Amino acid sequence: MTVASHYPVRVDARLDPHLSRWLWLVKWILSVPHYIVLVFLWIAFAVLSVVAFFAILFTGRYPRPIFEFNLGVLRWGWRVSYYAYSALGTDRYPPFTLAEVPEYPAQLHVPYPEHLSRGLVLVKWWLLALPHLLIVGVLAGGGAWFAVNSDTDNYSWTGGGLIGLLVFVAAIVLTFTGHYPRGLYDFILGLNRWVLRVAAYTALMTDAYPPFRLDSGGEDPATTTITPVA
């Protein structure tokens, strides 16, 4: 059965109106403190995801504290990626926090699921997600490894695949013109949105299958046609 509904993973972003022409050259250095912290956060994320897997398998529920922590890690990673080489959409330095920061220009929202399928948890993170993982592998390059290996300790699609190539083009244009091409920005955001939807799905945070659709633009349309999987 196919129904029209709101897709639960929402990714929003705002493009800074005045981006530095040259800051992108050193953002990899500025991001190092975040990358160091994220290594340890992703280790905890992997361990807790295994705990959540068995909790869902036996109870049909994702432990709320684990869900909030793992969502915080995804949110933190998205803010750093948006600042750095998955978008270069802001020059505002990402905050060191798992909490939601409403004023930051990169946002990720996933509502807590009251119930999850005990059967789907066995196959959705690898078998059902396989078509998406192939696509994400092209979009994100090495970042797709997280979606296949939930025990990774370092998840970042920064600078990889098609996204990395397009962001580099945007950086060159920004350097010479002082402007980030809006059409290119919207397209890059759509690609990142696809990656994050798949990441949340393979992290067991939702049973709603990610749509095979590029929702471009900074504001997530958030609606799609969801086909429940039996």
Side-chain angles (χ1 to χ4, degrees):
M1 180 178 65
T2 300
V3 295
S5 179
H6 290 278
Y7 192 71
V9 180
R10 183 178 180 94
V11 181
D12 292 307
R14 301 187 306 273
L15 178 64
D16 279 2
H18 304 291
L19 290 169
S20 168
R21 294 190 180 203
W22 305 104
L23 187 61
W24 68 273
L25 291 170
V26 297
K27 280 186 175 181
W28 66 275
I29 299 176
L30 299 177
S31 300
V32 166
H34 279 284
Y35 292 146
I36 293 174
V37 175
L38 282 170
V39 166
F40 295 100
L41 289 178
W42 284 117
I43 293 174
F45 180 98
V47 173
L48 292 176
S49 292
V50 174
V51 175
F53 171 89
F54 286 103
I56 297 169
L57 182 62
F58 291 109
T59 70
R61 295 179 63 86
Y62 200 124
R64 187 67 178 258
I66 297 179
F67 181 89
E68 295 297 340
F69 176 84
N70 284 354
L71 176 57
V73 176
L74 281 175
R75 188 182 288 130
W76 191 327
W78 168 228
R79 287 193 295 251
V80 175
S81 296
Y82 184 74
Y83 169 79
Y85 302 105
S86 282
L88 293 176
T90 182
D91 288 341
R92 178 176 174 182
Y93 199 69
F96 287 84
T97 179
L98 295 170
E100 182 180 354
V101 183
E103 63 272 16
Y104 196 77
Q107 298 288 319
L108 173 64
H109 304 284
V110 185
Y112 176 72
E114 294 297 334
H115 178 79
L116 291 168
S117 169
R118 296 166 63 182
L120 279 180
V121 75
L122 295 170
V123 294
K124 70 181 183 180
W125 58 274
W126 64 282
L127 181 60
L128 297 181
L130 185 58
H132 276 289
L133 298 179
L134 297 176
I135 296 173
V136 168
V138 175
L139 302 183
W145 192 65
F146 167 77
V148 183
N149 299 275
S150 59
D151 59 345
T152 178
D153 60 1
N154 187 14
Y155 170 53
S156 175
W157 62 97
T158 294
L162 178 60
I163 293 175
L165 176 62
L166 294 177
V167 170
F168 178 71
V169 172
I172 297 300
V173 174
L174 177 64
T175 299
F176 286 99
T177 69
H179 297 285
Y180 198 127
R182 186 69 200 203
L184 183 56
Y185 170 81
D186 289 343
F187 186 64
I188 289 171
L189 257 293
L191 299 180
N192 278 286
R193 184 171 291 121
W194 196 320
V195 172
L196 286 165
R197 287 173 176 173
V198 175
Y201 180 76
T202 57
L204 311 177
M205 292 182 169
T206 178
D207 284 342
Y209 197 69
F212 286 94
R213 189 179 72 191
L214 182 66
D215 289 324
S216 61
E219 184 176 351
D220 196 331
T223 59
T224 187
T225 300
I226 301 173
T227 303
V229 180

